[in-house]
Amino acid sequence: MRVLIVEDEVDLADSLADGLRGEGYLVDVVHDGAAALVKAGQVDVDIMILDRDLPELRGDVVCRTLRDQQHPMRILMLTAAGTLDDRVAGLDLGADDYLAKPFAYVELLARLRALARRATESNQIVLSSGDVRLDTLRRVAERDGRPLALTPKEFGVLESLLYADGGHVHPDDLLADVWENPADRNRSVVKLTIHTLRRKLGDPDVIRTSPGVGYRIEARA
Ligand code: CA
């Protein structure tokens, strides 16, 4: 489940991103509306957490633009204005849900889980390559019908590789997708996680390594 956080308060955006990565979400962060629209066109975002009060291109405009483009992502709008009128306006703009700031983190998580369930109704629930399958809703992975006991990081890496659908994923992108505080980490944790993930996936090896380019998954059914 890939979440895009659009929030101009950098500290809030970063702490949300760290928390959600810890919950096993793949997370991207941008700090303005224009960047949000660009990112939404580049990656398959399942859920956008969208601050309504953004500088320049406002959250309302971002929301309406995405809906005009018939983008299938779910949108959870955050706003400091929590009155009933604002709530109705946000939903009228095409937001799927609405949360007033300041909010309790546990409530945000609950809303996200609800949106994730709805997102999977229209998006892909199961990612696969050959005999490797990953169920993003039930959070289980298996190979040739055999369940894999993966750590949250191994699961996240496998999910990223499967999302790329045979394309390469650079270790820095895996760091950004899966780890909290990616800036404090280095690629050795990615290498180690790939190593243990490979071992758990078993033979024949399905993770290809291209030095300087990244990793990709290629499994036969
Ligand atoms: Ca703001």
Side-chain angles (χ1 to χ4, degrees):
M1 192 63 49
R2 190 176 276 276
V3 176
L4 175 61
I5 297 172
V6 188
E7 169 60 73
D8 60 310
E9 290 169 54
V10 175
D11 289 347
L12 174 60
D14 288 349
S15 71
L16 269 183
D18 287 346
L20 295 182
R21 286 189 188 108
E23 298 290 326
Y25 291 97
L26 303 176
V27 182
D28 296 294
V29 181
V30 295
H31 300 299
D32 64 73
L37 291 176
V38 170
K39 198 80 183 172
Q42 289 171 340
V43 296
D44 277 333
V45 178
D46 298 300
I47 303 175
M48 178 182 279
I49 298 176
L50 176 63
D51 184 26
R52 191 175 184 192
D53 184 23
L54 294 170
E56 297 172 29
L57 200 57
R58 305 205 19 101
D60 292 10
V61 179
V62 174
C63 187
R64 201 181 308 121
T65 304
L66 289 168
R67 287 306 176 230
D68 287 349
Q69 293 170 354
Q70 313 233 313
H71 208 293
M73 73 172 66
R74 302 292 173 177
I75 299 175
L76 172 59
M77 198 176 266
L78 301 180
T79 175
T83 68
L84 185 60
D85 283 352
D86 286 319
R87 186 188 307 265
V88 171
L91 295 173
D92 278 350
L93 286 166
D96 295 283
D97 200 358
Y98 181 95
L99 194 56
K101 288 179 177 176
F103 53 84
Y105 180 62
V106 288
E107 181 168 11
L108 176 78
L109 287 182
R111 302 287 186 98
L112 271 185
R113 282 194 298 272
L115 287 178
R117 284 193 294 274
R118 288 162 59 188
T120 50
E121 287 166 13
S122 53
N123 294 355
Q124 218 176 355
I125 298 173
V126 175
L127 302 169
S128 67
S129 172
D131 60 0
V132 178
R133 288 175 87 256
L134 182 148
D135 185 321
T136 58
L137 190 60
R138 288 164 51 231
R139 312 297 298 166
V140 293
E142 55 186 41
R143 177 153 193 204
D144 198 17
R146 172 178 61 91
L148 304 171
L150 304 182
T151 66
K153 298 296 180 238
E154 290 161 353
F155 190 93
V157 166
L158 181 60
E159 189 176 4
S160 272
L161 294 178
L162 288 170
Y163 258 119
D165 201 18
H168 284 98
V169 185
H170 194 275
D172 289 347
D173 292 331
L174 289 173
L175 266 182
D177 277 353
V178 180
W179 271 264
E180 299 100 55
N181 304 309
D184 301 338
R185 302 287 185 156
N186 65 57
R187 291 176 194 169
S188 62
V189 296
V190 175
K191 206 170 166 184
L192 183 64
T193 304
I194 290 278
H195 175 76
T196 56
L197 176 60
R198 255 197 183 116
R199 212 178 50 208
K200 290 181 183 180
L201 282 164
D203 292 326
D205 189 12
V206 291
I207 298 177
R208 309 271 175 261
T209 307
S210 304
V213 184
Y215 303 98
R216 67 187 184 87
I217 193 158
E218 184 184 84
R220 296 227 173 101

